[in-house]
Amino acid sequence: MKTRILIISILAIITATSCASRKDLVYFQDEPLEEGQLKSEPTQLIYKPDDILTINVSALDPDTVRPFNLPTVSNNSADLRSAQGSLQQQTYLVDYNGNIEFPVLGTIKVEGLTRSDLTALLVDRIKEMANDPIVNVRLVNFTITIIGEVGNPGTFTMQDERVTLIEALGYANDLTIFGKRKNVKLIREIDGKKKFANIDLTSINTVNSHLYYLQQNDVIYVEPNNAKIRSSTYNQNNSVLISAIGTLTTVLAVFLIK
């Protein structure tokens, strides 16, 4: 009788310990935020060296602004974004000094500017030579790197400059069951230095964080939980051994019950 109770107790403990806690897995477990608390807003991207931009200038009279646009080229280069047909619009690379070379206007300092800042600057300069110019600026190499315990780790180029942490994790097919949701690490470069932050995905306050909206070249690292770390220390034969022990325990339990 004592042996049977012991075996049943062991099986119960194994079953209990094999289940992950709800607090470790479920996103946004806190009480809902009040409507007035939802203050998280996307911040405008700030351009920096190695950014790649497309800048298109248009006007009612296209001829007046044609000199301010780079000529289109054939699509031999994979780094150029398609404009129409087989031609592609050339891009501007922000150099290590934070400058671009713009047609007619020459060297333009763009480092530290937002899209609205750069747009206003170009409009002011161009309208001295053309009437009512319209300037459209776009960052084309907005990339996010996601590594660790996710379904599809990698580096992703986003089509939108307004990307949330949750959207980025969606590109990576979400966290695996072994990912630590309470300690997702965000690595961001600020003023040439790498900065680190921890994000708790189990808290609804994450959506109210200034880190919720990502910046270009952010890196997200999902740390493995303890179960994953422990399992990685086992050799391939351990799973067979554990299975055999489980089967033997079940057989013994049946005989002892009889």
Side-chain angles (χ1 to χ4, degrees):
M1 181 67 178
K2 291 182 178 180
T3 304
R4 183 175 63 181
I5 294 175
L6 176 62
I7 292 174
I8 293 174
S9 299
I10 292 173
L11 292 175
I13 292 172
I14 293 174
T15 302
T17 55
S18 64
C19 298
S21 168
R22 177 182 183 276
K23 292 182 178 180
D24 294 329
L25 298 178
V26 179
Y27 296 146
F28 311 137
Q29 299 172 35
D30 301 327
E31 291 296 322
L33 292 173
E34 296 179 4
E35 184 176 354
Q37 291 179 286
L38 296 176
K39 301 176 183 178
S40 179
E41 296 180 357
T43 56
Q44 290 197 64
L45 298 180
I46 297 176
Y47 298 131
K48 54 189 178 182
D50 294 327
D51 283 349
I52 299 175
L53 310 176
T54 57
I55 302 176
N56 182 63
V57 183
S58 60
L60 290 176
D61 185 355
D63 291 334
T64 62
V65 294
R66 186 170 288 115
F68 301 99
N69 289 299
L70 293 174
T72 55
V73 296
S74 62
N75 58 2
N76 294 329
S77 173
D79 294 331
L80 301 180
R81 182 172 296 273
S82 175
Q84 65 177 26
S86 61
L87 297 179
Q88 296 178 329
Q89 183 178 357
Q90 295 188 64
T91 57
Y92 298 87
L93 173 65
V94 182
D95 65 24
Y96 66 93
N97 290 319
N99 301 323
I100 62 172
E101 295 299 324
F102 197 79
V104 182
L105 302 181
T107 302
I108 302 290
K109 182 77 170 182
V110 302
E111 182 179 10
L113 300 182
T114 65
R115 178 196 283 183
S116 58
D117 293 335
L118 181 55
T119 299
L121 184 153
L122 292 174
V123 168
D124 287 342
R125 296 283 300 276
I126 295 172
K127 71 181 181 181
E128 298 175 0
M129 295 169 270
N131 293 327
D132 301 322
I134 299 173
V135 176
N136 184 19
V137 181
R138 182 177 177 82
L139 175 71
V140 298
N141 67 331
F142 187 111
T143 58
I144 301 295
T145 298
I146 307 173
I147 56 176
E149 283 298 325
V150 292
N152 180 33
T155 298
F156 304 90
T157 299
M158 306 297 181
Q159 298 302 313
D160 194 349
E161 296 178 11
R162 181 180 179 272
V163 179
T164 69
L165 173 64
I166 300 304
E167 288 171 334
L169 291 173
Y171 277 92
N173 290 343
D174 200 4
L175 280 69
T176 69
I177 198 70
F178 298 108
K180 273 190 177 180
R181 285 151 175 78
K182 291 186 177 182
N183 192 28
V184 174
K185 289 181 170 57
L186 175 66
I187 306 171
R188 176 175 296 173
E189 183 174 316
I190 301 176
D191 297 330
K193 296 181 179 180
K194 299 294 184 182
K195 303 292 184 179
F196 301 83
N198 293 327
I199 300 173
D200 183 359
L201 291 179
T202 67
S203 173
I204 198 170
N205 288 294
T206 295
V207 303
N208 202 27
S209 167
H210 66 284
L211 301 172
Y212 186 63
Y213 288 92
L214 302 179
Q215 298 287 328
Q216 67 268 44
N217 302 320
D218 277 356
V219 176
I220 300 168
Y221 170 60
V222 180
E223 185 180 352
N225 60 20
N226 292 333
K228 179 69 172 183
I229 294 173
R230 286 195 300 268
S231 67
S232 67
T233 63
Y234 298 150
N235 61 42
Q236 295 181 350
N237 295 326
N238 279 354
S239 60
V240 177
L241 181 61
I242 292 172
S243 178
I245 292 174
T247 302
L248 180 60
T249 302
T250 303
V251 171
L252 288 175
V254 171
F255 279 104
L256 290 172
I257 290 173
K258 291 182 178 179

